[in-house]
Amino acid sequence: ETGVTQSPTHLIKTRGQQVTLRCSSQSGHNTVSWYQQALGQGPQFIFQYYREEENGRGNFPPRFSGLQFPNYSSELNVNALELDDSALYLCASSLGGHTEAFFGQGTRLTVV
Amino acid sequence: AQRVTQPEKLLSVFKGAPVELKCNYSYSGSPELFWYVQYSRQRLQLLLRHISRESIKGFTADLNKGETSFHLKKPFAQEEDSAMYYCALPKSEKLVFGKGTKLTVNP
C-alpha cells in the first residue's frame, strides 16, 4: 500500500506565472483534498475532489483550480501567481469525505 | 462559523513534566474533533480523534462541551513528543484547523 505522494517537493516561480502541483492518492482512496499552509498558520482548505468532481471549495479565488483523474490522482493549478501564494501546499486523500484523511509531505511553493 | 482556536503558539516543558495543549472550538451541534501532529520533516498525521476515546502515545483528549474545549494532555512528556500539534474540526467535506502549537520537550 503506497501513501500520498506529492510532486514537486519544492518550486520557485515568478509573480504572474502559472503552476501545477500534483498528488497521487493513497491506494484505494477516491477523495482528494488540497490545503494551503502559510508560514505560522494551520492548513486552509482550498477544495476537494470526489470521483473526479469538485465536492466543496474554500475561500480561494477562481485562479485556484483543480482536476481529479480516473485513477484518483489530482492536480492543483494556480494562475497569475501572487507573492502571497507562497506557502506549503498539502494534499490529503481519504475514502469518502468523512473518513480519516492521509496527508502528503507537501509542495513548498515560493513566488518571487 | 466553525472555528478552532489554539491560544498557545509555543509551549516548552521539561522531559517527564505534564503537558497540556489547549484547543477551543466554536460549533453549533455535536462536534467531532481531531488532533493532528507533525514531527520534524514528517507529514501531518492523525494523532487521535475524540470519538475513539483512546490514548495514543500516552496522549488523551477529552471533549468538554460546556467549555467548548478539546485539550490534549500527557502526564509525562518525552523528548520525542516535540512537534507541531494541530487541533481540527470537520465541517462538511473539509477540516478546519487551528494555527497550531509548537511543543518543545527539553531534556
Side-chain angles (χ1 to χ4, degrees):
Chain A
E1 183 179 286
T2 55
V4 180
T5 57
Q6 292 185 244
S7 62
T9 53
H10 296 84
L11 201 52
I12 300 175
K13 288 286 191 178
T14 304
R15 191 170 50 180
Q17 284 188 313
Q18 178 264 343
V19 69
T20 298
L21 310 182
R22 295 179 174 83
C23 171
S24 293
S25 59
Q26 183 161 312
S27 176
H29 287 181
N30 55 16
T31 303
V32 171
S33 303
W34 286 92
Y35 290 81
Q36 181 195 65
Q37 186 174 17
L39 204 58
Q41 303 292 318
Q44 298 285 314
F45 177 75
I46 303 175
F47 42 58
Q48 182 183 87
Y49 280 83
Y50 172 66
R51 293 186 174 181
E52 302 179 58
E53 297 285 332
E54 188 176 288
N55 183 45
R57 188 178 182 92
N59 190 25
F60 281 81
R63 57 190 186 84
F64 284 78
S65 62
L67 280 174
Q68 187 178 33
F69 300 98
N71 66 354
Y72 302 129
S73 66
S74 177
E75 285 182 356
L76 164 66
N77 298 290
V78 187
N79 293 323
L81 283 166
E82 300 177 1
L83 296 179
D84 283 351
D85 295 333
S86 295
L88 181 68
Y89 288 85
L90 297 170
C91 167
S93 77
S94 59
L95 184 58
H98 299 282
T99 58
E100 180 179 347
F102 291 82
F103 283 82
Q105 80 282 10
T107 294
R108 171 75 61 189
L109 173 64
T110 302
V111 183
V112 297
Chain B
Q2 284 85 349
R3 194 166 54 243
V4 175
T5 303
Q6 294 179 251
E8 302 144 327
K9 211 168 182 176
L10 303 169
L11 185 61
S12 183
V13 301
F14 285 102
K15 177 182 172 182
V19 64
E20 180 180 70
L21 295 98
K22 292 183 169 54
C23 171
N24 291 90
Y25 66 90
S26 64
Y27 184 85
S28 53
S30 291
E32 182 180 0
L33 284 148
F34 303 122
W35 276 99
Y36 277 82
V37 62
Q38 187 169 30
Y39 301 102
S40 179
R41 296 194 181 88
Q42 293 188 30
R43 59 190 67 198
L44 197 60
Q45 57 186 287
L46 180 66
L47 179 62
L48 57 81
R49 58 177 74 188
H50 92 274
I51 57 170
S52 63
R53 304 188 68 83
E54 49 186 350
S55 172
I56 305 291
K57 299 186 178 183
F59 284 97
T60 58
D62 289 318
L63 181 63
N64 186 323
K65 291 184 182 179
E67 296 182 359
T68 60
S69 69
F70 186 57
H71 302 330
L72 184 67
K73 300 177 185 179
K74 186 169 182 176
F76 307 103
Q78 302 300 313
E79 290 180 67
E80 56 265 29
D81 296 327
S82 296
M84 281 295 300
Y85 291 81
Y86 296 95
C87 184
L89 174 70
K91 179 193 172 188
S92 298
E93 68 285 348
K94 68 181 180 185
L95 287 167
V96 177
F97 286 89
K99 292 186 177 183
T101 297
K102 183 176 182 179
L103 173 65
T104 302
V105 181
N106 300 298

